[in-house]
Amino acid sequence: MNRFDSQPSTLAVDASEIEALAEQITGPVVAANDERYDAQRAGFQIARQHCPDLVVCAVGPADVQAAVTYAGSRGHPVAVQGTGHASAAVAAEGGLLINTARMSAVRVDAHARTAWVAAGACWHHVIQEAAPAGLAPLSGSAPHVGAVSYTLGGGLALLSRSLGYAADHVRALHVVTADGRMRYVAQDTEPDLFWALRGGRDNFGVVTGMQIDLMPVTTVYGGGLVFPVEKAAEVFETYLEWTSIVPEAMNSSVALISLPDVPAIPEPMRGRHTVQVRIACAPGDPGGTERMMGPLRAIGAISDTLGELAYAETGSIYNDPVVPGAFEAGTAMLGELDATSVQAILDLAGPHAQVPHIVELRHLGGRLTHPPAEGNAVGNRDARYVLNVVSRLERADIAEIRPAHARVLDAVAPWSTGGRFLNFMNGEGAAAQVRSAYDAADYERLTGLKAVYDPHNTFRLNHNIPPARGRTGERGDPR
Ligand SMILES: Cc1cc2nc3c(=O)[nH]c(=O)nc-3n(C[C@H](O)[C@H](O)[C@H](O)COP(=O)(O)OP(=O)(O)OC[C@H]3O[C@@H](n4cnc5c(N)ncnc54)[C@H](O)[C@@H]3O)c2cc1C
């Protein structure tokens, strides 16, 4: 089937089986010929939709357990969907999809500074619950992204340079593994699985909930500076110099953005190609932070929204779209950059770009370079920047977008570390590049643990880590 074809696959499960499964599950069980099917498989990303044989709309861990047990006993693969922000990479064709959207509970323990977050909760659910206690989670640019999947994939947060990856602040996970067991996974109960899940994302089971640290943060100094595209070279060059000296407290990105002329886009970005610097600075000395912005402000922004911001308002820093859409994306992790690298990016992604796209550089380093004491599977901690190139399919043809993205990624190849960040691997070919999200020894350890916890690769409709060959005699590396 064409990867952009959203038609469901032929029903491969008979009605009596569906009935038997539905009896064990509290939420709806929906087959491909059911009128609820499209709504239950729909996600934020609409370029590629999951086309499973069955969707289990879980309302709690017991539903997840029954669904995984059923699939395991029949050899069906299992996919999971929270909000569907990442189905761009690997869409299920056939098999069973567990939709966790109904599991959105969040419980905050203000005293312990932790939150228990269910599988389908988005960051805005957690932010809302944590704020009255003067706390905040390590959420990212978009509050409507699923908190659990984001965290399992690493979780590059607004404040990550100051506080580390979200995956570095997980205390415990509730997981249903391929054998249908419901496990409490923490450093002192199952250290190997705990290590693998934090970075290995959806390869080792369905996480039904996680306990995470919350940070004593109520406000940040944040917002954006918008410049006309004619100043792109000056902004990028200043930004690179600036990021080489700013303290860990300063989290930022720079992006070239071409936006359509539609009322939903605020002035002065509407219908224009601009360069934007986005800032999220951990609370500290406000005067010092203001002074730090001097070199960037001196360039002359056409919009300046920098200032103190309640943490609950931090979604405004990136203003990521909240309406589902179709997009294609490419990514690369980069080392130190120089003026030549800036020119390479601007030549392809500036106002003369053949297809409209966003090219973004997020500044890494700081606490991101320090794994937590017990370690986890998040890789590529030595990268200095992560580059993302994103295009909306509504604005250009996929046949033009893919080569355009490939040209940008080729142009920055001399500065690439060779690594990629799992959460940003959503484009064509991402499924074949999973190895690059991990350090080499960690990837070997992950394939070994996969052979232990999911020897039949039940969880393979994802950014797949195959079970190590020889340990199981089962499916090998698909690449
Ligand atoms: C607009 C936008 C902004 C983003 N900003 C950031 C950012 O700032 N930082 C960052 O790190 N990432 C960011 N991301 C990436 C995002 O974190 C990942 O795409 C994440 O996987 C999305 O999770 P989801 O539940 O929303 O999506 P889904 O598509 O529902 O899930 C993504 C994958 O996670 C797996 N999964 C989902 N739920 C579970 C579960 N309960 N147990 C096991 N596996 C599960 C699924 O197999 C699925 O393939 C952004 C993405 C978008 C589209």
Side-chain angles (χ1 to χ4, degrees):
M1 181 187 284
N2 181 313
R3 302 190 70 190
F4 285 86
D5 184 345
S6 64
Q7 290 308 304
S9 61
T10 318
L11 186 67
V13 187
D14 72 40
S16 62
E17 272 196 39
I18 299 171
E19 229 168 82
L21 176 63
E23 271 172 25
Q24 298 172 52
I25 290 188
T26 307
V29 176
V30 176
N33 57 356
D34 188 310
E35 61 184 15
R36 297 168 296 177
Y37 181 79
D38 280 339
Q40 298 310 323
R41 70 186 173 122
F44 180 83
Q45 157 66 282
I46 60 172
R48 290 173 206 129
Q49 283 195 310
H50 289 301
C51 300
D53 292 322
L54 275 184
V55 187
V56 169
C57 307
V59 299
D63 281 358
V64 174
Q65 186 175 33
V68 172
T69 305
Y70 163 84
S73 67
R74 284 158 181 82
H76 298 319
V78 173
V80 197
Q81 176 162 294
T83 70
H85 273 79
S87 51
V90 187
E93 289 177 10
L96 188 145
L97 174 68
I98 300 176
N99 179 328
T100 63
R102 289 163 179 76
M103 298 167 62
S104 60
V106 176
R107 285 196 313 273
V108 168
D109 181 336
H111 181 68
R113 288 190 185 164
T114 61
W116 182 263
V117 182
C122 300
W123 278 127
H124 68 79
H125 296 125
V126 187
I127 293 168
Q128 270 166 20
E129 292 297 319
L135 300 168
L138 283 177
S139 52
S141 60
H144 51 291
V145 158
V148 165
S149 169
Y150 161 106
T151 302
L152 298 176
L156 182 60
L158 288 171
L159 296 178
S160 266
R161 267 178 50 81
S162 327
L163 298 164
Y165 282 109
D168 302 344
H169 295 275
V170 177
R171 295 205 183 180
L173 299 154
H174 270 170
V175 187
V176 176
T177 40
D179 55 7
R181 274 182 62 190
M182 207 182 286
R183 302 173 192 245
Y184 174 79
V185 179
Q187 180 61 17
D188 56 354
T189 62
E190 304 217 37
D192 282 337
L193 190 52
F194 188 54
W195 176 86
L197 280 162
R198 292 169 302 137
R201 197 163 72 186
D202 36 15
N203 276 283
F204 298 91
V206 183
V207 171
T208 60
M210 63 177 184
Q211 187 189 25
I212 54 168
D213 291 328
L214 295 174
M215 305 297 153
V217 172
T218 52
T219 60
V220 299
Y221 176 90
L225 295 172
V226 180
F227 303 91
V229 76
E230 295 72 31
K231 295 193 174 185
E234 189 183 357
V235 174
F236 268 72
E237 281 168 24
T238 307
Y239 180 78
L240 292 187
E241 261 175 53
W242 182 78
T243 49
S244 69
I245 54 165
V246 291
E248 276 182 12
M250 182 58 77
N251 297 263
S252 66
S253 69
V254 62
L256 268 166
I257 303 184
S258 144
L259 291 170
D261 189 0
V262 293
I265 311 280
E267 291 288 0
M269 283 80 85
R270 186 185 306 161
R272 288 182 75 167
H273 209 127
T274 57
V275 193
Q276 301 183 15
V277 176
R278 295 83 155 255
I279 301 292
C281 190
D285 160 29
T289 310
E290 278 284 339
R291 280 193 297 281
M292 232 185 284
M293 299 314 304
L296 289 164
R297 278 187 160 142
I299 300 169
I302 51 176
S303 164
D304 180 338
T305 58
L306 295 180
E308 191 171 299
L309 202 61
Y311 195 85
E313 303 301 322
T314 51
S316 67
I317 296 175
Y318 281 72
N319 261 322
D320 282 333
V322 293
V323 181
F327 57 90
E328 176 73 4
T331 190
M333 290 183 114
L334 308 176
E336 292 295 344
L337 299 177
D338 54 24
T340 327
S341 60
V342 168
Q343 203 49 55
I345 295 171
L346 297 185
D347 284 348
L348 290 163
H352 308 299
Q354 287 170 13
V355 298
H357 43 223
I358 295 174
V359 177
E360 171 197 66
L361 269 183
R362 289 197 195 187
H363 186 208
L364 306 177
R367 296 300 303 170
L368 292 164
T369 60
H370 304 294
E374 75 284 2
N376 61 30
V378 178
N380 298 308
R381 287 179 182 267
D382 55 345
R384 297 275 298 136
Y385 300 91
V386 59
L387 177 132
N388 293 315
V389 50
V390 183
S391 296
R392 305 279 299 196
L393 269 60
E394 298 90 337
R395 301 189 67 201
D397 194 276
I398 188 72
E400 291 171 345
I401 291 173
R402 284 198 181 129
H405 287 190
R407 282 193 292 275
V408 174
L409 295 173
D410 283 350
V412 297
W415 296 274
S416 167
T417 64
R420 293 182 185 82
F421 179 54
L422 187 70
N423 273 354
F424 293 157
M425 292 173 67
N426 285 318
E428 175 71 3
Q433 297 164 341
V434 174
R435 187 187 283 262
S436 66
Y438 303 102
D439 298 336
D442 287 350
Y443 184 77
E444 293 313 311
R445 184 175 174 194
L446 286 166
T447 62
L449 291 169
K450 178 78 171 179
V452 173
Y453 289 101
D454 184 15
H456 304 286
N457 210 355
T458 296
F459 302 112
R460 61 180 176 272
L461 302 172
N462 54 13
H463 290 73
N464 195 236
I465 296 169
R469 279 204 182 98
R471 308 257 186 118
T472 63
E474 296 291 333
R475 293 171 188 87
D477 192 326
R479 286 162 303 108

